[in-house]
């Protein structure tokens, strides 16, 4: 194993026979290959870094210097990996397979970016083509924000273009991990539904397996597209795909593919625990020539229990940081909650992540105008559960017009006592806050920071708030039980 990250290495010291604590660069890896002369190289388990090395490694192995070496890259070929990584090539494949993706484009300078933006329309998801973890990814709402992004946030050049994608508002994101063998057979290992909407980085979003709100039509289409793409890319081993679906409860739902990565995703350990199969180990066997039939994995396993993965976020360790989730990944780990229903599994995952959900008290509500119509059901359910409601002026007026009992509270900049004062006085037990726009983001950052410091559960998306309500309801009628994975899968 080649790994220069002390944190990941220290957790599983017995994973490999030999550990090279070296940078994952071409020069260092070639030195190790020359020293060890392994029969095969696996690049699928290390994220984007080894994928980017696959083509240079393959070229070296075919060169004069590499002729004496018996090594080869196991699993998906470097050419297929390169095609999946190349935005323009991958778009051609999707067009050929008649698979829908969000409108998108590539820009190598400011003029190109404005031209692409005019063709797609705002809002847009913009990101550099050369970073990991969604770093420097943003949602821009107009030309001014796009120009600011290009001039301040990233370095754009012909070698480092930026990617621009249509932003799918109010869409549910779907994650798929699939196992593929060299004969073209593909089996879904895990099909997960995200709790937070598309636009929140998948590493920061909670997700559940099996999915709870996707229609059979959506599930069938996701599985069909997964197999088409995996076969077209000749994937051997693992592939991770991300989809987004709009209008999930209607017959006219729209499914889009966001990306496909011919590698293991961060969800593989979660899927392995949920279905009771060592997915990475099975993928390794497939890369070495076994078929899905050989390893006895010929059909998708639907778990009997509901599993929820939740991100662990490090905001408390960084004074002044904001807890608002976005397209740039901030999580430093993840936890898993497992129960017979989604509500209890989500409650357990929140508890494990250090958040928890309150069973009673005062709930503070403040949402942007686009989210207000979705707030009515949440507010009524909170009242039924015995919570008292308080809200800022705009949200309070909206709810009062619907005959929902709510008290008004001042924003931080409107005077004292304000919402931050109430939080710091221990008078609030739940915060639901979905700001939009730079002024609202700035105004509400203080109250979110106060809620973080006083351990008050805070939800910054409407789907997150709805999941919290399910957790509160489930906790009212169920006790939290600890169940071992062995009990579930044996």
């Amino acid at each position: 194993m080649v790994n220069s990250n002390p944190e990941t290495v220290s957790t599983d010291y017995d994973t490999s026979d030999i550990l090279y604590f070296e940078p994952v660069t071409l020069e260092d890896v070639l030195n190790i290959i020359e020293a060890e002369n392994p029969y095969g190289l696996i690049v699928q388990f290390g994220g984007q870094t080894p994928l980017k090395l696959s083509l240079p490694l393959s070229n070296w192995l075919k060169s004069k210097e590499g002729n004496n070496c018996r090594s080869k890259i196991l699993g998906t070929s470097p050419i297929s990996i390169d095609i999946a990584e190349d935005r323009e090539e991958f778009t051609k494949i999707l067009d050929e397979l008649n698979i829908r993706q969000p409108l998108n484009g590539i820009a190598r300078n400011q003029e190109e970016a404005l031209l692409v933006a005019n063709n797609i329309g705002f809002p847009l998801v913009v990101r550099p083509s050369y970073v990991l973890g969604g770093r420097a990814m943003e949602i821009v709402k107009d030309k001014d924000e796009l120009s600011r992004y290009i001039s301040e946030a990233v370095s754009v050049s012909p070698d480092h273009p930026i990617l621009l994608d249509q932003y799918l508002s109010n869409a549910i994101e779907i994650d798929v991990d699939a196992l593929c063998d060299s004969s073209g057979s593909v089996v879904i290992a895990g099909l997960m539904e995200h709790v937070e909407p598309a636009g929140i980085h998948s590493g920061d979003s909670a997700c559940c397996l099996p999915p709870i709100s996707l229609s059979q039509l959506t599930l069938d289409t996701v599985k069909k597209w997964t197999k088409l793409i995996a076969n077209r890319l000749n994937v051997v081993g693992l592939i991770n795909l991300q989809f987004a679906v709009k209008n999930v409860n209607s017959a006219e739902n729209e499914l889009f593919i966001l990306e496909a990565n011919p590698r293991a995703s961060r969800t593989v350990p979660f899927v392995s625990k949920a279905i009771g199969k060592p997915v990475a180990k099975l993928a390794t066997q497939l890369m070495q020539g076994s078929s899905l039939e050989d390893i006895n994995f010929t059909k998708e396993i639907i778990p009997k229990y509901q599993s929820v993965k939740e991100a662990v976020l490090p905001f408390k360790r960084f004074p002044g940081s904001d807890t608002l989730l976005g397209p740039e990944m901030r999580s430093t780990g993840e936890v898993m909650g497992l129960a017979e229903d989604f509500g209890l599994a989500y409650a357990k995952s929140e508890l494990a992540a250090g958040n928890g959900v309150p069973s009673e008290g005062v709930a503070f509500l403040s949402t942007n105008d686009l989210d207000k119509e979705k707030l009515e059901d949440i507010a009524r359910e909170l009242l039924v559960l015995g919570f008292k409601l308080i809200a800022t002026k705009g949200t309070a007026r909206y709810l009062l017009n619907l005959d929902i009992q709510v008290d008004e509270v001042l924003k931080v900049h409107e005077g004292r006592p304000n919402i931050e004062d109430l939080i710091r006085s221990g008078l609030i037990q739940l915060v639901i806050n979905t700001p939009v726009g730079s002024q609202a983001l700035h105004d509400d950052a203080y109250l979110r920071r106060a809620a973080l410091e006083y351990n008050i559960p805070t939800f910054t998306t409407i789907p997150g708030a709805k999941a919290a309500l399910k957790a509160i309801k489930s906790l009212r009628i169920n006790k939290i039980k600890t169940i071992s994975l062995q009990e579930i899968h044996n």
Side-chain angles (χ1 to χ4, degrees):
M1 181 187 281
V2 187
N3 192 337
S4 59
N5 183 340
E7 268 309 304
T8 53
V9 171
S10 64
T11 48
D12 292 299
Y13 61 90
D14 58 351
T15 297
S16 60
D17 299 306
I18 300 173
L19 168 67
Y20 280 90
F21 197 68
E22 302 292 340
V24 185
T25 64
L26 183 62
E27 184 180 358
D28 288 280
V29 173
L30 290 179
N31 287 337
I32 294 164
I33 291 171
E34 286 176 334
E36 293 288 345
N37 196 21
Y39 86 89
L41 313 173
I42 293 176
V43 298
Q44 289 186 21
F45 295 148
Q48 294 298 111
T49 308
L51 287 193
K52 289 189 188 308
L53 288 182
S54 62
L55 209 52
L57 279 172
S58 176
N59 291 338
W60 183 85
L61 291 169
K62 291 173 188 167
S63 69
K64 256 187 214 174
E65 300 100 305
N67 266 343
N68 300 327
C69 179
R70 64 175 181 154
S71 300
K72 62 178 181 178
I73 290 174
L74 300 178
T76 310
S77 80
I79 292 164
S80 292
I81 290 170
D82 191 54
I83 289 169
E85 293 290 299
D86 186 313
R87 169 61 72 96
E88 286 162 314
E89 289 301 314
F90 186 59
T91 296
K92 284 179 196 168
I93 285 175
L94 294 180
D95 290 343
E96 177 191 313
L97 297 173
N98 198 25
I99 290 174
R100 188 192 295 114
Q101 65 175 329
L103 299 173
N104 63 79
I106 295 177
R108 293 169 178 85
N109 55 49
Q110 183 136 341
E111 291 70 33
E112 278 185 24
L114 290 169
L115 198 63
V116 171
N118 284 336
N119 290 337
I120 297 173
F122 290 96
L124 285 170
V125 179
V126 291
R127 66 184 185 275
S129 58
Y130 51 90
V131 301
L132 305 179
R135 192 176 64 77
M137 191 189 291
E138 280 187 32
I139 297 166
V140 298
K141 297 176 185 66
D142 53 41
K143 286 182 182 178
D144 292 341
E145 284 193 17
L146 180 60
S147 299
R148 177 204 49 79
Y149 177 84
I150 290 169
S151 58
E152 294 175 17
V154 295
S155 162
V156 184
S157 69
D159 296 331
H160 292 309
I162 61 165
L163 309 178
L164 300 95
D165 291 271
Q166 171 191 2
Y167 174 62
L168 303 173
S169 57
N170 301 318
I172 292 175
E173 198 164 327
I174 301 162
D175 238 304
V176 176
D177 286 323
L179 287 164
C180 319
D181 66 20
S182 55
S183 70
S185 295
V186 180
V187 175
I188 305 281
L191 193 159
M192 295 149 275
E193 177 181 341
H194 285 220
V195 172
E196 276 73 29
I200 304 296
H201 193 283
S202 59
D204 287 352
S205 178
C207 71
C208 61
L209 173 65
I212 54 169
S213 67
L214 303 178
S215 68
Q216 195 56 50
L217 171 67
T218 299
L219 294 173
D220 292 343
T221 310
V222 164
K223 290 170 189 179
K224 178 184 162 191
W225 287 3
T226 295
K227 287 171 185 176
L228 282 172
I229 291 167
N231 285 332
R232 180 62 180 78
L233 292 172
N234 298 312
V235 172
V236 179
L238 271 162
I239 184 169
N240 170 260
L241 304 100
Q242 290 171 12
F243 302 87
V245 60
K246 297 188 73 171
N247 307 322
V248 72
N249 294 317
S250 75
E252 299 175 10
N253 60 22
E254 291 181 89
L255 185 68
F256 299 83
I257 181 156
L258 302 178
E259 57 182 272
N261 299 297
R263 59 169 170 81
S265 167
R266 70 177 65 79
T267 49
V268 163
F270 167 69
V271 170
S272 300
K273 292 179 177 74
I275 68 171
K277 295 284 182 184
V279 175
K281 186 176 183 178
L282 299 180
T284 306
Q285 291 171 316
L286 296 174
M287 286 182 236
Q288 293 178 88
S290 296
S291 68
L292 283 160
E293 207 163 304
D294 293 337
I295 62 173
N296 195 26
F297 196 88
T298 53
K299 63 178 183 178
E300 181 185 357
I301 297 169
I302 308 295
K304 292 177 288 188
Y305 281 70
Q306 184 69 56
S307 301
V308 173
K309 173 192 79 86
E310 179 58 290
V312 175
L313 298 153
F315 300 126
K316 276 190 185 172
R317 297 178 185 273
F318 297 95
S321 64
D322 193 353
T323 59
L324 202 63
L325 300 176
E328 186 171 326
M329 182 173 150
R330 291 184 166 90
S331 70
T332 50
E334 45 203 32
V335 293
M336 175 173 170
L338 198 144
E340 289 175 356
D341 72 64
F342 171 81
L344 198 56
Y346 187 75
K348 288 170 84 171
S349 71
E350 288 298 305
L351 201 59
N355 306 325
V357 289
S359 55
E360 59 186 5
V362 179
F364 166 71
L365 312 175
S366 178
T367 62
N368 65 71
D369 291 341
L370 297 172
D371 284 342
K372 280 192 174 42
E373 63 185 52
K374 299 169 206 145
L375 188 63
E376 180 181 353
D377 291 343
I378 292 171
R380 292 195 190 281
E381 282 196 54
L382 283 167
L383 288 174
V384 169
L385 289 166
F387 281 82
K388 184 186 172 190
L389 305 183
I390 65 168
T392 47
K393 188 189 291 179
T395 305
R397 272 190 198 152
Y398 178 82
L399 293 174
L400 286 168
N401 285 338
L402 296 167
D403 289 327
I404 294 172
Q405 182 55 47
V406 58
D407 292 337
E408 193 179 312
V409 64
L410 297 174
K411 288 185 178 180
V412 173
H413 66 273
E414 290 176 341
R416 311 290 289 268
N418 56 46
I419 180 55
E420 186 182 356
D421 297 325
L422 297 189
I423 289 170
R424 293 189 184 278
S425 301
L427 300 174
I428 307 292
Q429 282 68 49
L430 177 68
V431 171
I432 296 172
N433 175 231
T434 68
V436 162
S438 54
Q439 187 61 47
L441 293 175
H442 177 267
D443 291 348
D444 293 353
Y446 297 101
L447 74 90
R448 288 192 297 273
R449 186 69 208 178
L452 177 72
E453 289 169 6
Y454 284 80
N455 293 321
I456 297 162
T458 302
F459 297 91
T460 57
T461 65
I462 290 293
K466 287 181 175 175
L469 278 177
K470 287 178 182 170
I472 293 167
K473 284 181 191 171
S474 198
L475 283 173
R476 291 272 177 99
I477 54 174
N478 297 299
K479 283 187 176 176
I480 288 183
K481 294 188 295 191
T482 305
I483 322 160
S484 71
L485 293 174
Q486 289 84 347
E487 285 174 76
I488 288 165
H489 297 306
N490 289 344

